[in-house]
Amino acid sequence: MSESTPYRVLARKYRPQRFSELIGQDAMVQTLGNAIRRGRLAHAFLLTGVRGVGKTSTARLIAKALNCIGPDGQGGPTIDPCGVCEPCVAIAEGRHIDVIEMDAASHTGVDDMREIIEASRLAAFSARYKIYIIDEVHMLSKNAFNALLKTLEEPPAHVKFLLATTELAKVPVTVLSRCQRFDLRRIPADLLAEHFAHVVAAEGVAAEAEALALIARAAEGSARDGLSILDQAIAHGAMDGGAAEGVTAPAVREMLGLSDRGAVRRLFALLLEGDAVAALARLREQYDLGVEPAALFRGLLEVVHGVTRAKSGGADDPAQSVEEREALADWASRMGHATLHRLWQLLLKGLEEVQSSPLVIEAAEMALLRLIHAADMPDPGELLRRLAAGQPVAPAAAPATPVAPTPAETPSYPVDFRALHDLLEACGQHRLALLLHDKTELVRYAPPVLSLRSTALPADLAKTLREATGLAWEVRFDEGGEAVPSLLRQEEALKSEDRARVLAEPVVAAALEEFPDAELSEVRSG
């Protein structure tokens, strides 16, 4: 390339010029080809998909396919435009007068639509069809959409509308119903890596297969994003050693802030082994190399996902190395689904904390430690199995401080405390029942004699009891005798015993040890 020739970025230089050059959109190309061959062309097409999958490029290819006249000037619409006739060349260069491209993000108003509607009534100047390509059509205002509806439904025979959008949900259903819709899929990573290999070969740049696989993963299904990253990687590789340095995997990892997948697997193994010291050292090592903790957690999530897919019999990822597949298969044979799901949830929570914490590396360390400790816990199914077999369910630990009273500590009362329940039932809804329940400590119950210890009861209790129950009672207040606690205190003691018994259950104790912020809010009897 001469110094006077401006540099064209790879995303523009390698924009598809034929339908055969579209990556990963075979179904759409086949449907469109059948429509062209049979003369069943819609008057409006809607192209949807994530950024960079080729929506605008596809729209231009459709424009070429509809207006191509062939090298001899006698051709008709074709799925394989020649690329050499005047319409094909002019459309490819973006200068055809009958192919009008509009960015809806900057032309959102109803007046812009009125201009299109008025112009669409005029015949094409030189092409077979006058074509309007409206990109990011979801950005149009409500009034602009309404103005376009009638023309979309019944356009002049010489007009075709090609609409493109990344946010299909924002396009009114009235517009969707008037268009033939094509969903452009995310491009698989293996196809992207293969495409990038062709690009670097055409550019005369050496590139490692692993480096191209990393770029393909980072592109997340977008050819344009991937080519932009590849452009940057080529420049990055040339910084230290010229163009001959090429694109290497370590350089791409450094550029993107990615962790070595092997390092991630080694860290994952340390987490499963419960080696906290080594795991934290590995984390710090990656951090010092410039790897963001969030990227490391995403790598760990990918490992868990890969192990789960391997365990479920999912297809192999073509971007994975042989060593990685073997490691995932080995873990899959030794880990249960419940453990994998728990690891996934813990890593997700850790990623959220790392992304939101002002202390990034500290949050990452705490999240890894939590994961290591949780790895010692058996899954719920294993816990039930151990309980049924009478086996211990929690890791060995120092004896905990007893939280429940021992049987020897349970008080033994000198009287039948159930007797006061009978008296309360006899009182019914009388206000005295509440006082007897909450405030009365019973010393002796031998009807009609009632010996109590309480200062909250009325002095004329015998009279009040006779009114409430119809029986004559002799009430004595004995402050020196041994008394049974009030019914209220007894009920509270029973609740405390139930709570202590639940807290002492091995499953609950193990759960609270793992999640120290958790609390037992309520104990319900079965």
Side-chain angles (χ1 to χ4, degrees):
M1 183 178 67
S2 64
E3 294 182 1
S4 61
T5 303
Y7 176 71
R8 295 180 67 198
V9 297
L10 297 181
R12 292 188 59 195
K13 187 175 181 179
Y14 293 94
R15 174 172 279 168
Q17 299 300 319
R18 296 176 178 272
F19 281 104
S20 59
E21 297 175 3
L22 279 176
I23 310 171
Q25 311 300 340
D26 296 342
M28 185 272 295
V29 173
Q30 181 178 355
T31 302
L32 186 61
N34 292 338
I36 291 176
R37 281 189 290 271
R38 298 173 183 174
R40 302 178 65 87
L41 291 171
H43 51 265
F45 299 87
L46 179 65
L47 306 172
T48 73
V50 298
R51 68 192 187 283
V53 294
K55 297 184 296 298
T56 306
S57 295
T58 300
R60 291 175 180 170
L61 289 176
I62 293 175
K64 289 168 67 174
L66 298 182
N67 284 324
C68 178
I69 59 176
D72 58 359
Q74 302 301 315
T78 173
I79 193 62
D80 189 21
C82 67
V84 297
C85 66
E86 174 57 27
C88 284
V89 173
I91 292 172
E93 295 177 354
R95 57 177 176 81
H96 200 294
I97 193 171
D98 291 319
V99 178
I100 301 97
E101 293 192 31
M102 187 189 85
D103 179 18
S106 54
H107 299 80
T108 62
V110 65
D111 292 336
D112 298 304
M113 286 301 102
R114 285 175 181 156
E115 290 181 9
I116 291 178
I117 294 168
E118 291 297 326
S120 67
R121 296 173 183 172
L122 303 176
F125 286 95
S126 61
R128 186 179 296 113
Y129 293 104
K130 178 179 283 188
I131 295 178
Y132 290 93
I133 300 175
I134 305 178
D135 197 13
E136 301 298 338
V137 70
H138 64 273
M139 300 290 287
L140 292 178
S141 66
K142 180 179 179 181
N143 290 337
F145 272 125
N146 290 335
L148 186 61
L149 284 179
K150 187 63 177 178
T151 306
L152 273 181
E153 186 170 20
E154 299 179 1
H158 61 273
V159 174
K160 301 292 182 184
F161 286 95
L162 305 178
L163 315 179
T165 180
T166 54
E167 300 189 43
L168 186 65
K170 293 184 179 180
V171 179
V173 292
T174 50
V175 172
L176 295 177
S177 65
R178 290 166 168 81
C179 299
Q180 189 173 97
R181 171 178 159 185
F182 290 108
D183 295 323
L184 277 70
R185 301 181 178 182
R186 289 181 184 270
I187 306 172
D190 57 333
L191 292 183
L192 279 178
E194 183 180 338
H195 177 58
F196 298 155
H198 291 307
V199 170
V200 294
E203 291 291 306
V205 176
E208 296 178 357
E210 185 180 356
L212 298 181
L214 290 171
I215 294 173
R217 283 177 175 274
E220 296 183 344
S222 168
R224 185 178 63 227
D225 287 6
L227 287 172
S228 297
I229 297 172
L230 180 59
D231 232 339
Q232 183 182 357
I234 293 174
H236 184 82
M239 288 175 60
D240 298 327
E245 186 77 11
V247 180
T248 64
V252 171
R253 289 193 190 94
E254 179 183 357
M255 183 185 76
L256 298 178
L258 298 176
S259 177
D260 181 354
R261 298 180 70 81
V264 173
R265 293 197 301 275
R266 288 189 290 273
L267 174 59
F268 186 72
L270 292 173
L271 295 175
L272 295 183
E273 293 169 5
D275 193 337
V277 175
L280 293 183
R282 183 73 64 181
L283 172 65
R284 283 284 180 174
E285 176 185 307
Q286 292 293 300
Y287 184 70
D288 292 339
L289 289 173
V291 178
E292 291 296 329
L296 199 59
F297 271 78
R298 282 191 287 269
L300 290 170
L301 283 166
E302 288 182 3
V303 172
V304 174
H305 176 257
V307 175
T308 307
R309 278 183 59 85
K311 190 171 186 65
S312 302
D316 291 334
D317 186 344
Q320 292 174 348
S321 65
V322 175
E323 294 80 4
E324 185 171 4
R325 293 179 191 175
E326 291 177 351
L328 297 181
D330 178 58
W331 283 321
S333 66
R334 295 189 285 117
M335 300 175 68
H337 284 289
T339 301
L340 290 168
H341 294 320
R342 183 165 68 245
L343 288 174
W344 177 265
Q345 293 298 329
L346 290 169
L347 284 169
L348 272 183
K349 181 176 176 57
L351 177 60
E352 293 174 1
E353 293 175 354
V354 168
Q355 290 176 326
S356 61
S357 174
L359 303 173
V360 178
I361 186 62
E362 289 81 0
E365 290 178 339
M366 294 300 292
L368 289 187
L369 289 174
R370 180 173 63 234
L371 189 146
I372 288 173
H373 295 151
D376 293 335
M377 291 181 61
D379 59 68
E382 179 67 10
L383 286 175
L384 292 176
R385 188 191 67 78
R386 293 186 185 183
L387 284 173
Q391 299 174 346
V393 298
T401 302
V403 292
T406 63
E409 296 171 338
T410 303
S412 177
Y413 300 118
V415 295
D416 180 11
F417 199 61
R418 174 65 200 173
L420 196 54
H421 281 278
D422 297 335
L423 183 57
L424 291 181
E425 290 179 4
C427 292
Q429 297 299 318
H430 196 282
R431 64 179 181 84
L432 182 61
L434 181 61
L435 292 175
L436 291 172
H437 179 277
D438 293 353
K439 304 294 184 181
T440 301
E441 295 181 0
L442 186 62
V443 176
R444 182 168 178 260
Y445 182 80
V449 176
L450 183 62
S451 182
L452 308 172
R453 185 167 66 191
S454 175
T455 59
L457 294 172
D460 58 346
L461 179 59
K463 179 181 178 182
T464 307
L465 280 173
R466 186 168 57 251
E467 294 174 354
T469 64
L471 300 175
W473 288 86
E474 179 184 346
V475 178
R476 302 173 183 174
F477 291 97
D478 186 352
E479 298 299 329
E482 185 178 5
V484 175
S486 67
L487 283 177
L488 177 62
R489 286 181 56 194
Q490 274 290 291
E491 291 168 359
E492 290 175 346
L494 290 174
K495 288 181 180 180
S496 296
E497 291 175 10
D498 289 341
R499 181 182 180 86
R501 186 178 66 255
V502 171
L503 288 173
E505 287 287 340
V507 176
V508 178
L512 291 177
E513 181 181 356
E514 180 56 36
F515 303 101
D517 293 336
E519 294 181 358
L520 180 63
S521 61
E522 184 180 0
V523 177
R524 298 181 182 179
S525 60

